[in-house]
Amino acid sequence: MKLLVIYIITSLLVQTVSSQVRAVAEEIEDSYNSYKNALESISSALDYIESAKYAQTVDDANSYASYAESEISDAIDYADNAERYASYAEDESSDIECDNAEEYAYDATRDFSYASDALDDAESDLSSAAFESDGEWVSDYLDNALSDIEDAVSYLNNGVTDLRYSLESLENCNVNVKNYSSTLVTCNDLLDFIKNEGYLKATILSYTLDSEWLYKVTAYTYDYDIYVVAEIKTNEYSYKTNKYIFCNIPNGNWTNFRYGSYGDSDSYGERFHKYIMDNKCNCQ
């Protein structure tokens, strides 16, 4: 029997800016880790079942069946954990009103529950095999356990697929910075996200800006939009600055700020006010 292992790309949300979103992602990751542990225990159980089927004596077959039963018992615990963490992800997705993530987490919860039920049946079959003295009956119990385990693996893999979809839906709900709500993200978090996930477009340093208040202006692109991070002096004579982020800058605005358009001032500061300042991000 082959175990179909489906991997979750957890890096999708490594830089997620909302603590609530991170909480959901962590529950999904915990559920996924429990899924992996369940598969590892199932894999060990399958090895023991194979040994039981080729055992030379009924006593040996009983022993291998008992070992397999122990592994399946562990797999049940892991499947239950996967179900519990998926349920937490469902609840927390609901809290942030990410409906698709919530629905997929619900589906994962259901599938992991079905997997646990199938493993319960396999455990019962293996327990019977461990105490059966008739070799043909032992073989039948082992075959039944294999069928139950196959069902369980199918449910587990369905569940982890649902987790992946939930994670992707969560990304769509919350990582797209164009849709950030001020109640969900701080400006510092948004700034860190753009710096880590965006692509550097250009940086204009103090000596070029030659401004009493602009110290440094950096542009990033993310999802085909331009975001500008401006370091603004606390006063004309200070080297201390505060950072501000400006969202969804039209490409023409950035070009006009950087190079100036016909009739524009030579002052970067005045062009910043004209082309950038009104696009301050909706963050707190």
Side-chain angles (χ1 to χ4, degrees), residues 52-71:
K53 289 182 73 66
Y54 290 99
Q56 297 298 312
T57 67
V58 172
D59 285 344
D60 286 344
N62 293 153
S63 295
Y64 286 124
S66 179
Y67 299 150
E69 178 188 1
S70 179
E71 293 293 341

Side-chain angles (χ1 to χ4, degrees), residues 3-6 35 39 152-162:
L3 300 180
L4 173 62
V5 180
I6 302 174
Y35 153 85
L39 282 189
V153 170
S154 178
Y155 286 128
L156 286 169
N157 286 324
N158 288 342
V160 85
T161 299
D162 293 327

Side-chain angles (χ1 to χ4, degrees), residues 174-222:
N174 296 280
V175 176
N176 188 339
V177 293
K178 290 183 290 188
N179 296 323
Y180 279 149
S181 164
S182 61
T183 62
L184 291 180
V185 62
T186 68
C187 292
N188 284 338
D189 283 339
L190 178 55
L191 227 164
D192 289 341
F193 177 81
I194 290 298
K195 288 171 65 177
N196 288 319
E197 293 299 302
Y199 295 93
L200 180 64
K201 181 177 179 69
T203 298
I204 306 175
L205 300 174
S206 178
Y207 68 88
T208 300
L209 292 168
D210 191 24
S211 171
E212 294 179 354
W213 59 282
L214 274 179
Y215 181 76
K216 182 179 178 182
V217 177
T218 305
Y220 298 87
T221 58
Y222 177 81

Side-chain angles (χ1 to χ4, degrees), residues 113-124:
S113 177
Y114 290 161
S116 181
D117 291 342
L119 290 170
D120 281 335
D121 292 339
E123 183 182 33
S124 178

Side-chain angles (χ1 to χ4, degrees), residues 40 42 76 131 171 208 265 272 283:
E40 289 175 3
I42 288 172
I76 291 170
F131 291 98
E171 182 191 37
T208 300
S265 168
F272 191 92
C283 56

